[in-house]
Amino acid sequence: MPEIAIQTQKLTRRFGKLLAVDAIDLQVTAGQFFGFLGPNGAGKSTTIKMLTGLLAPTSGSMQLLGQDFATHPVEVKRQIGVVPEGMGLFERLTGSEYLHFIGRMYGLDRATTRRRSDELLEFMRLADRPKTMVADYSHGMQKKLALAAAVIHGPRILFLDEPFEGVDALAAGALKSLLGRMTERGTTIFLTSHVLEIVERLCSHVAIIHKGRLVAHGSLEELRAGISDEEGNKTLEQIFVSIVGQDGTERPQLEELSWLM
Amino acid sequence: MADVAESTGILEQIRLVAGLRWRILRNSLRKKNNRLDLIGLILAGILSSVLVLGLCFAFYAGAYAFVSSGRSSWMALLFWGIFLFWQVFPVLVAGFGANFEFRTLLRFPLSLSAFYIIGLAYGIADFSAIASLCWLLSMSIGAGVAKPGVLPAMLLVVCVFALFNVTLERLIGSWLERLLSRRRTRELFFALFVLSMISLNFVTPLLNRYGAAARPMILHALPYFAWFPPSLAGRAIAAVAQLQPTGFLLGSAGLLFYVLLFSVLLWRRFAAQYHGEELSETATPVHAGVRPVRREDDTADGLGLLSPQVAAVVRKEFRYLTRNSFAFLTLLMPPLLVLLFSSQFAGRHPSIGGTGVSTEMFFPGIMAYLILILMAPAYNSFAYEGRGIQIYFTAPLHFRQVFLGKNLMLVSVLTVEIALSIGMLTYRVGLPSAHMLLATIAAIIFTVVGQLTIANWSSLNFPRKLEFGQMRGQRQSGMAVLVAFGSQILMGGISAVILFSGRWTGNPWFPAEAFAFLAAAALGGYFASLDALTHLAEKKKETLIEALCR
């Protein structure tokens, strides 16, 4: 039986009266490239924050790699990597110093940390600015650094929130192949992105959250099969729109902007 | 095809910019949930109005008195006052940043001349400009009432003087904008600004010592000031009052020369902005040539005894300290303060009634003052973490390790600062008796460690994000300030009672023994508190992240 990397039971989070995540039951098998989708404000970030220890659930439970997060937080955190919302960078360190800091925070020895950080800086094409502080990096460079920091300790589960946003095409290509190789070697990748083409190309399994509830969950084939359609081969975007757009929300009428056309 | 709007006239654009500034002010008021802030703003507005109106009377009376008494050349003094306020005040508030970046107007379809005129109009809407214009008007009325014949020339000179001031103010503003657009220079600017404010304390002692010697040099330099615009304006008015048209023409021509000179410079600055001058802080692209990564962590730094996480936090805190120019330069303060106070109050250099404070009292007193200053940042110790705070919650560590790292760094800084200050004290006023020295050192350990526990608790409960090199909106949480104040008073009170108890009991070593006991108890309490603080951090993490990731 395949190992379960992420499992949640009735995971719920309230902010006052707002029910941001409503009792979701999620299961991700180890080694899966898992896409977590939803429209703006659906509850994606809240779910990731709970799964990475940044937010406490109001109720429900979650296990990562078989360990309960509530009772073994340090052991669980040791095995996961995350790019938090806003990237979580210390802006007054250089890229190298930041990776060194993160490596040591994850308990790596100094030699290993240094070797890995050098390799990651080279891979992310950040090595040519050794003295530049993170505050002076461009957005794309900061994103690459945050990604490097998320993998420096060799995590078994990697949480990525919009990983390719602002990343140049060269680095994005290299990053995709890196992530692909990581999944081949058993790393589970939990990814959110609004670029559905990327999710469709990379992810084997997808879950869609809408208004805090999990409205679809399964492999891409299973999701396609779940939608009645004569033409058959639907894209992920079409699947997404057909699932999320079922709540009667009307699209704005283009006729109202006639002066622009 | 889409409709394209027709271009707007300059006057309409000025009106729109004025309306925009007003709307920004209104919206900023609406955002303030805290009524005290609003009340403070209203009070500040009332006080400013009273100040401006009061000075209007003063300028009116001054101009009237000078012109009517035949001392119209003294009008230059009034022009100097207005000139200094108009130019210096905006520089002082530059640290608080502008609400609206004037350059954003460039994305609208404006010609360079329109951009220039709007820029000047924008400058007239500043508080310093409005106040100065009120005072210039009051001066004109005062001079006109005293001698009606002076009024037309006065109005002409005032207009040129106002144009000169607004041009220069905008020019300095645009230079400052360019200077402050770089993070490093911005931080240095603020650090130097704060240091210069502190160094004002040295003016009185320096004047006492060197004032008499400097007076002839100042008198010698005074004639050169006659060629500056405020003096030229004053001379022009004096010439009119004394019916000397040549003097008036010369003064006015000099003033016009300055207006022309600064207008050309301002035009060049605005033209550079108009043509897309880049002030962004993002580094310019470089060739992706491979340079070796700096191996700065190769050398051992003596942190090997600590756990990797604690050592990582200590290193990070040290780098943050050295890269926060403001905090780094303010570390110069304690020895400077010791120098200042020792030259005014104590020991061998008494200046108060020839007696001065005894070393036995001065030493613990100055140490208490230094602890008061140096411990203050500990009450909001996550202030500069920004979004990085999330790492402490996603990394596999116990939060006590974060506190240990931060506290260790602070204690190291305190140790160096106190050692430097003791060195300075020894040089200036000498050391106190052995029992007082030991008692004070034990008291320092007690108050610092005791405060660290409370400060850590305060940092978790009342976090407030602060930005490097910025002064605008850089306020600590009111509760954190209250907690800091309360605990400092408590610790200071306990320490004072124990220090005096040595006299009351007749046993000079009693305070040292009592403080040693209290220091040990404080250390025990500190380590016992770390686990409780770790649990508290878990409870407070959402508040902490929300406050620091804004």
Side-chain angles (χ1 to χ4, degrees), chain A residues 202-248:
Chain A
L202 294 176
C203 299
S204 56
H205 290 73
V206 168
I208 299 176
I209 185 171
H210 185 43
K211 294 182 177 174
R213 298 187 72 88
L214 210 58
V215 290
H217 187 196
S219 68
L220 280 171
E221 291 71 32
E222 286 168 344
L223 292 187
R224 282 194 187 101
I227 297 167
S228 56
D229 177 46
E230 300 82 38
E231 295 172 18
N233 212 10
K234 277 199 162 190
T235 63
L236 181 57
E237 185 177 344
Q238 289 168 318
I239 296 169
F240 181 81
V241 171
S242 66
I243 291 174
V244 172
Q246 283 171 355
D247 62 352

Side-chain angles (χ1 to χ4, degrees), chain B residues 270-531:
Chain B
F270 277 6
Q273 291 183 2
Y274 186 80
H275 292 117
E277 181 185 51
E278 178 57 56
L279 293 181
S280 161
E281 286 192 77
T282 305
T284 48
V286 292
H287 295 296
V290 179
R291 277 197 275 164
V293 176
R294 213 169 119 212
R295 295 181 180 277
E296 55 218 358
D297 291 306
D298 277 352
T299 52
D301 53 11
L303 297 178
L305 291 174
L306 303 173
S307 75
Q309 288 85 357
V310 176
V313 174
V314 171
R315 269 193 209 96
K316 181 234 138 202
E317 289 291 309
F318 179 72
R319 286 180 175 132
Y320 260 50
L321 177 70
T322 54
R323 284 161 196 181
N324 185 348
S325 321
F326 174 73
F328 195 60
L329 283 177
T330 49
L331 290 181
L332 296 173
M333 264 179 68
L336 281 177
L337 287 172
V338 170
L339 181 69
L340 173 72
F341 288 131
S342 62
S343 64
Q344 291 198 23
F345 300 122
R348 297 177 199 152
H349 306 280
S351 62
I352 303 173
T355 53
V357 184
S358 81
T359 313
E360 293 293 287
M361 296 301 296
F362 187 71
F363 184 74
I366 195 80
M367 287 299 133
Y369 186 62
L370 295 186
I371 297 292
L372 189 81
I373 296 171
L374 292 168
M375 282 300 294
Y379 287 84
N380 186 19
S381 62
F382 300 108
Y384 294 106
E385 307 288 15
R387 294 177 190 277
I389 186 72
Q390 296 173 95
I391 297 298
Y392 295 141
F393 293 103
T394 56
L397 50 82
H398 298 285
F399 214 80
R400 64 170 168 266
Q401 292 169 310
V402 178
F403 277 127
L404 274 173
K406 281 180 167 288
N407 294 163
L408 204 55
M409 184 63 213
L410 179 69
V411 168
S412 307
V413 170
L414 274 167
T415 308
V416 173
E417 289 286 316
I418 286 173
L420 280 175
S421 303
I422 290 177
M424 179 68 80
L425 266 178
T426 311
Y427 167 68
R428 294 288 298 169
V429 295
L431 282 176
S433 60
H435 56 80
M436 183 54 81
L437 179 67
L438 283 177
T440 308
I441 288 171
I444 289 172
I445 297 171
F446 160 62
T447 49
V448 167
V449 178
Q451 281 192 66
L452 279 179
T453 308
I454 303 168
N456 289 341
W457 176 84
S458 166
S459 298
L460 287 176
N461 281 285
F462 314 111
R464 182 68 65 92
K465 183 183 179 182
L466 300 178
E467 297 279 359
F468 281 65
Q470 274 189 26
M471 290 168 82
R472 185 181 177 80
Q474 301 295 290
R475 265 187 329 177
Q476 301 278 9
S477 149
M479 278 307 291
V481 173
L482 206 64
V483 170
F485 191 60
S487 68
Q488 302 240 26
I489 284 182
L490 180 72
M491 296 286 175
I494 292 171
S495 302
V497 169
I498 293 173
L499 274 178
F500 279 110
S501 66
R503 290 186 179 184
W504 300 330
T505 57
N507 176 6
W509 287 99
F510 174 74
E513 291 162 4
F515 278 127
F517 172 76
L518 284 175
L523 272 168
Y526 171 77
F527 285 108
S529 75
L530 287 175
D531 276 338

